[in-house]
Amino acid sequence: MADEITLMAIKVAGGPAALAKELGIKTPSVYSWRQVPPKRVQAVSKLTGIPPEKLRPDLYEVAA
């Protein structure tokens, strides 16, 4: 199951199918996410308005 912020990003994007379409990937790929994959963080951030450091705090520093 996806973490809370990933679920929020999917919801903000309009659901798994809508997010997958915007990213040019297949819907089952989005369903398999536990976290937003590192190579998708910037695109998901741009689509949803959720900052990268919130999507993947393990990969991005929080702005001071």
Side-chain angles (χ1 to χ4, degrees):
M1 177 173 230
D3 65 13
E4 192 173 318
I5 194 69
T6 300
L7 291 173
M8 182 188 301
I10 292 168
K11 183 177 179 180
V12 168
L19 181 56
K21 184 177 180 180
E22 288 293 327
L23 295 174
I25 61 176
K26 296 182 187 247
T27 303
S29 296
V30 175
Y31 279 112
S32 72
W33 292 357
R34 290 178 187 258
Q35 294 180 300
V36 176
K39 70 181 183 178
R40 304 280 182 209
V41 172
Q42 292 297 325
V44 171
S45 177
K46 185 176 179 182
L47 288 168
T48 64
I50 300 171
E53 61 271 11
K54 289 209 179 224
L55 291 171
R56 288 297 302 263
D58 58 321
L59 301 176
Y60 294 86
E61 289 186 31
V62 175

